Amino acid sequence: MANIQNTKDMLIKARKEGYAVPAFNIHNLETIQTVVEAAVEMKSPVILAATPGTMNYAGRAYVQAIAEVAAKENDIPIALHLDHHETLESIEESLELGTKSVMIDGSHSTFDENIELTKKVVEAAHANGATVEAELGRLVGQEDDMIVEVGDAIYTDPDTVEEFVERTGVDSLAVAIGTGHGVYESKPNLDFDRLEKIKNLVDIPIVLHGASGIAKEDVQKCISLGCAKVNVSTELKIPFSNALRNHMIEHPDETDPRKYFGPAKDAMKKAAIEKILICMSDGKA
Ligand SMILES: [Zn+2]
């Protein structure tokens, strides 16, 4: 019933009201349907996050079209968001297709190069009514093919935040405060003081990446400290894959995708609902 949205109003409202919009990484028709079903059931706004790897796998135009159908058929705010895109060119491809929310990840460059690239993306995106998330600092772990070792991870320096936001004009900011991408090998130490400092410096919504495996209390503390978007990928992929694997083991002769994806979708939906409750976005659609 609605068009696909950018994430501006969605995230400003969330930061103001003290909850977060969950951003779920999706990969295909089934995973988009699943997280949207969970969000509809919980009356939660939802962000469908697609990495460059997903776009290579499923095709930008296909992902865009499926997300648009999801937005039209459901009465909740739905955004399609480009997750961890690293080039202006790839973002422009999606802007032309109608994408309204993008992340430019210039965190692997120097501070000035990050600003320069982010600024270009902001100009292109805003000209198309799209919003931009940038990243300052660098998260440990693996996202798509990008691997950051522990020694190369950098916490966001609060002293650079104001300058970065001002010079780039970004709409939201991903920060590195101790979370990582993928599965945690030991309990991560989150730097809440750092987050609080950042929150007090800028009024744009802050984005928490690597929320899979972070305890509910810690995620909610981050939300109370300005995180208005919480990214979840691993914690949805694992139940989907486990359910699919178990189903195949129990039904070794199964050949019908319409049957074997069912339990995988159910397991993923359950995990998505749990995350919506942690984000406290239920009833906020
Ligand atoms: Zn991320």
Side-chain angles (χ1 to χ4, degrees), residues 83-84 139 143 181 209-210 231:
D83 195 24
H84 288 286
L139 264 71
E143 181 74 53
H181 290 125
H209 281 244
N231 289 13

Side-chain angles (χ1 to χ4, degrees), residues 4-25:
I4 204 124
Q5 304 200 355
N6 68 35
T7 41
K8 188 166 196 122
D9 294 343
M10 231 185 239
L11 297 186
I12 287 176
K13 181 173 182 282
R15 174 158 176 174
K16 208 164 73 189
E17 295 182 15
Y19 64 93
V21 181
F24 295 128
N25 279 88

